[in-house]
């Protein structure tokens, strides 16, 4: 796996003399080492910066270091912010300002002017904060004591969002065929997506995939079948259908890896030369961290891969999802999410089952194998990235996933049921008003705050539908943001 780290850059100045600077240096090393024990990625102390040249140099180094995911700054003493201008103006990596201080409390008996001169974070961080605001930088400000678990949690969440930026900047999406015909929301400006988000989105012919499938060996299929049997319960006698999905998965993975792609899309309308739409194949690939988008939806495919990378251990419970139908009984309003075949088993509450069933849509010659399961209970979000023409908008809605209130024995797909915030019908009104797509990424691991951080780092619009959102407030927010983003 790629090595990832964050750099700790501490601000001071030469005014205080070598003894104070040595103390700042020692404390900064201690803080970075201690925080690294609980943070998801190492925090590497780089420098106590005392001049324009030092700051510009470390930021230039950060910009071109592939292992550096972002910088975290803190001002132990007063650090005149004009000397940060050249460096911060050139910064190309995510930026977090940690507003903290070394000591937890004021030492009543010991405090004197020497103590005050050394421990000036209270106004040093405010000076530093001004220049961030003056330069209008996309930054995260986290305030609190550096040993607090809550501060570590927020820093860790921000780090994961910054990793999502790195994944985005290196994202390559392989499209097998085009979008589903006549669908608007899965379209989009691929040039704009690459300019703003770094995504390279290109098409490979389905015939190329079929050729790769024909080259898959029985030994390769047998090896993958063993993985299936270890991970899933088999609830079908049609072993040939499972083997065919294994053949598809092996071929897709070979093509993705050979091109450095982390995500892919396909469509049931373009399966020429294939017997089955990849179901189990797509689901298992998602469990390995690849992104997927059905019906040619390359945006949700890339977002799935990015949010997986932002999740627990770098591949969390995030998955391609689609709102399918509603339960509108008063007091029992729920959304049922599913897809024809392709929902990642990372969402499953229990061990998934491999089943084969007829799929009455698309170019399938035979019944495709797929994983069937119910989703986990718990707080989650659904996220949709849409192209507004001239800008991108990221929409995030808070949801609460529940155990499905009915068994649905004749629905042979993976499914998740949830309560939408603030309630189902208001949430639907807000989602539609904002232009949210029918395809989303559902995540138990990634939070709305992380997605807001990611959107800020990528410089795109962010809309959050919460328990407090109303259609009226949302309409006003959309109007204001529409004007702001047109001005930008």
């Amino acid at each position: 796996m790629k090595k990832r780290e964050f750099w700790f850059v501490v601000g001071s100045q030469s005014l205080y003399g070598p003894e104070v600077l040595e103390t700042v240096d020692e404390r900064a090393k201690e803080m970075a080492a201690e925080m690294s024990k609980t943070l998801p990625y190492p925090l590497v102390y780089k420098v106590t910066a005392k001049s324009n040249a030092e700051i510009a140099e470390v930021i230039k180094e950060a910009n071109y270091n592939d292992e550096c995911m972002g910088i975290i700054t803190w001002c132990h003493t007063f650090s005149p912010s004009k000397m940060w201008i050249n460096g911060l103006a050139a910064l190309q990596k995510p930026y977090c300002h940690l507003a903290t201080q070394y000591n937890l409390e004021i030492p009543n008996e010991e405090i004197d002017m020497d103590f005050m001169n050394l421990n000036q974070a209270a106004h040093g961080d405010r000076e530093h904060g001004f220049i961030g605001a003056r330069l209008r930088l996309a930054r995260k400000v986290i305030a609190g004591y550096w040993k607090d678990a809550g501060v570590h949690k927020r820093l860790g969440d921000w780090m994961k969002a910054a990793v999502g930026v790195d994944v985005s900047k290196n994202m390559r999406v392989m499209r097998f065929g085009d979008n589903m015909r006549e669908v608007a929301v899965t379209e989009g400006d691929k040039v704009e997506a690459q300019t703003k988000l770094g995504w390279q989105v290109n098409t490979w012919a389905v015939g190329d995939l079929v050729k790769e499938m024909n080259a898959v060996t029985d030994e390769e299929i047998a090896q993958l079948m063993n993985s299936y049997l270890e991970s899933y319960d088999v609830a079908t006698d049609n072993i040939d259908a499972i083997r065919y999905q294994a053949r598809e998965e092996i071929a897709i993975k070979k093509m993705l890896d050979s091109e450095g792609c982390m995500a892919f899309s396909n469509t049931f309308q373009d399966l020429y030369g294939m017997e089955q739409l990849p179901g189990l194949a797509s689901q298992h690939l998602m469990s390995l961290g690849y992104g997927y988008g059905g019906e040619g939806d390359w945006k949700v495919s890339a977002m799935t891969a990015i949010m997986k990378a932002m999740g627990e251990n770098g591949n969390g419970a995030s998955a391609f999802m689609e709102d399918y139908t509603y339960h509108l009984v008063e007091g029992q309003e729920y959304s049922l999410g599913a897809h024809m075949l392709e929902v990642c088993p990372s969402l499953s509450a229990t061990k998934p089952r491999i089943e084969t069933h007829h799929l009455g849509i698309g170019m399938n010659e035979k019944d495709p194998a797929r994983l069937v399961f119910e989703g986990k209970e718990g707080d989650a979000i659904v996220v949709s990235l849409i192209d507004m023409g001239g800008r991108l908008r990221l929409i995030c809605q808070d949801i609460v996933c529940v155990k499905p209130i009915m068994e649905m024995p004749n629905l042979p797909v993976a499914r998740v049921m949830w309560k939408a915030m603030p309630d189902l019908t208001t949430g639907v009104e807000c989602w539609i008003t904002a232009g949210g797509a029918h395809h989303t990424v559902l995540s138990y691991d990634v939070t709305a705050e992380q997605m807001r951080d990611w959107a800020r780092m990528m410089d795109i619009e962010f809309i959050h539908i919460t328990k407090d959102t109303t259609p009226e407030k949302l309409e006003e927010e959309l109007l204001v943001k529409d004007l702001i983003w047109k001005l930008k």
Side-chain angles (χ1 to χ4, degrees):
M1 288 183 63
K2 178 177 180 179
K3 182 181 177 183
R4 294 185 167 110
E5 63 187 28
F6 290 80
W7 289 5
F8 192 35
V9 180
V10 177
S12 188
Q13 59 180 327
S14 298
L15 176 67
Y16 305 108
E19 186 175 339
V20 166
L21 293 174
E22 287 172 11
T23 300
V24 173
D25 182 72
E26 290 171 4
R27 289 179 174 182
K29 288 177 182 175
E30 176 193 352
M31 292 169 67
E34 285 298 312
M35 287 190 283
S36 292
K37 293 177 181 178
T38 57
L39 294 173
Y41 298 95
L43 181 59
V44 179
Y45 169 59
K46 296 300 290 185
V47 67
T48 294
K50 304 170 291 297
S51 67
N52 188 308
E54 279 185 307
I55 295 166
E57 184 62 30
V58 73
I59 288 179
K60 181 171 68 174
E61 186 182 353
N63 284 341
Y64 290 97
N65 188 298
D66 289 338
E67 295 178 358
C68 177
M69 299 291 103
I71 67 165
I72 296 174
T73 61
W74 168 57
C75 293
H76 190 303
T77 68
F78 195 79
S79 179
S81 65
K82 284 177 65 177
M83 68 187 185
W84 287 83
I85 292 174
N86 290 13
L88 290 178
L91 180 63
Q92 299 171 13
K93 295 288 179 76
Y95 165 34
C96 177
H97 178 185
L98 176 61
T100 188
Q101 64 183 27
Y102 180 77
N103 54 299
L104 175 63
E105 57 189 28
I106 297 171
N108 181 51
E109 297 296 330
E110 300 171 23
I111 190 167
D112 55 19
M113 285 311 301
D114 288 337
F115 180 93
M116 295 284 276
N117 285 334
L118 173 62
N119 298 280
Q120 293 184 27
H123 66 293
D125 278 326
R126 292 173 189 240
E127 168 75 358
H128 186 66
F130 162 74
I131 206 62
R134 177 66 176 81
L135 296 175
R136 293 167 174 80
L137 296 174
R139 59 189 171 140
K140 178 77 169 183
V141 179
I142 297 176
Y145 186 49
W146 63 276
K147 288 185 178 181
D148 284 351
V151 170
H152 293 187
K153 175 67 166 60
R154 293 189 68 200
L155 270 174
D157 286 349
W158 176 84
M159 284 179 164
K160 292 177 181 179
V163 166
V165 171
D166 181 66
V167 173
S168 182
K169 293 294 186 181
N170 293 282
M171 176 61 60
R172 300 191 72 192
V173 181
M174 181 174 288
R175 302 172 66 220
F176 294 110
D178 203 353
N179 298 14
M180 180 180 174
R181 298 170 199 136
E182 303 295 345
V183 178
V185 77
T186 55
E187 295 284 357
D189 186 339
K190 301 182 188 68
V191 174
E192 179 70 9
Q194 186 164 350
T195 302
K196 293 294 292 185
L197 306 177
W199 302 355
Q200 298 179 59
V201 183
N202 293 302
T203 301
W204 276 257
V206 176
D208 292 335
L209 176 56
V210 173
K211 182 179 178 181
E212 193 68 54
M213 287 169 56
N214 291 336
V216 173
T217 67
D218 290 340
E219 290 77 14
E220 290 173 309
I221 292 174
Q223 186 175 358
L224 184 52
M225 287 289 289
N226 288 334
S227 295
Y228 289 165
L229 295 175
E230 290 175 4
S231 302
Y232 315 121
D233 291 330
V234 177
T236 177
D237 295 328
N238 191 351
I239 302 302
D240 286 342
I242 303 176
R243 287 177 57 85
Y244 192 81
Q245 290 287 323
R247 182 181 295 276
E248 290 180 320
E249 178 181 341
I250 292 164
I252 293 170
K253 188 175 187 302
K254 284 182 177 179
M255 291 185 67
L256 292 173
D257 292 348
S258 68
E259 297 292 340
C261 294
M262 293 167 279
F264 71 103
S265 66
N266 58 15
T267 172
F268 61 88
Q269 291 178 322
D270 189 357
L271 299 175
Y272 191 79
M274 302 171 66
E275 295 179 0
Q276 301 175 16
L277 177 67
L280 171 59
S282 298
Q283 291 173 298
H284 192 251
L285 282 168
M286 276 188 279
S287 76
L288 300 177
Y290 294 92
Y292 173 78
E295 298 147 31
D297 192 340
W298 50 271
K299 294 192 293 295
V300 79
S301 169
M303 287 305 305
T304 303
I306 290 166
M307 292 177 67
K308 278 185 167 293
M310 289 167 60
E312 190 67 24
N313 298 318
N315 181 15
S318 299
F320 168 62
M321 184 53 65
E322 178 173 273
D323 286 75
Y324 242 81
T325 191
Y326 303 130
H327 191 70
L328 293 171
V329 176
E330 187 174 356
Q332 299 181 40
E333 295 89 350
Y334 298 102
S335 182
L336 179 63
H339 205 255
M340 290 186 295
L341 303 177
E342 314 96 343
V343 175
C344 178
S346 65
L347 306 188
S348 181
T350 57
K351 193 174 185 179
R353 308 181 302 279
I354 300 177
E355 299 183 11
T356 54
H357 299 274
H358 177 66
L359 184 63
I361 189 170
M363 301 167 59
N364 299 278
E365 298 177 16
K366 297 183 179 179
D367 299 343
R370 80 293 301 269
L371 296 174
V372 179
F373 57 83
E374 291 181 352
K376 296 183 287 189
E377 299 177 65
D379 294 339
I381 58 173
V382 285
V383 171
S384 172
L385 180 74
I386 60 172
D387 189 328
M388 291 296 293
R391 74 177 189 276
L392 297 166
R393 171 182 290 169
L394 188 72
I395 306 165
C396 176
Q397 182 175 30
D398 297 336
I399 64 172
V400 179
C401 297
V402 302
K403 180 177 174 56
I405 62 173
M406 54 196 73
E407 293 185 1
M408 296 172 280
N410 295 314
L411 183 64
V413 295
R415 77 292 298 261
V416 183
M417 185 171 279
W418 65 80
K419 294 180 179 179
M421 295 293 114
D423 58 71
L424 179 60
T425 53
T426 305
V428 168
E429 290 176 14
C430 292
W431 189 268
I432 290 174
T433 299
H438 57 289
H439 290 163
T440 60
V441 183
L442 186 153
S443 181
Y444 295 91
D445 285 346
V446 181
T447 66
E449 183 177 2
Q450 286 175 291
M451 294 315 301
R452 183 186 297 275
D453 288 342
W454 183 83
R456 183 189 297 116
M457 295 172 196
M458 305 309 300
D459 192 29
I460 63 173
E461 182 184 1
F462 180 79
I463 299 294
H464 186 195
I465 301 172
T466 74
K467 63 180 178 62
D468 299 317
T469 303
T470 65
E472 294 78 16
K473 288 181 181 178
L474 181 64
E475 285 180 2
E476 292 176 1
E477 180 183 356
L478 292 171
L479 177 61
V480 170
K481 286 188 173 179
D482 190 50
L483 294 172
I484 290 171
W485 283 90
K486 283 177 179 176
L487 290 172
K488 290 185 72 172

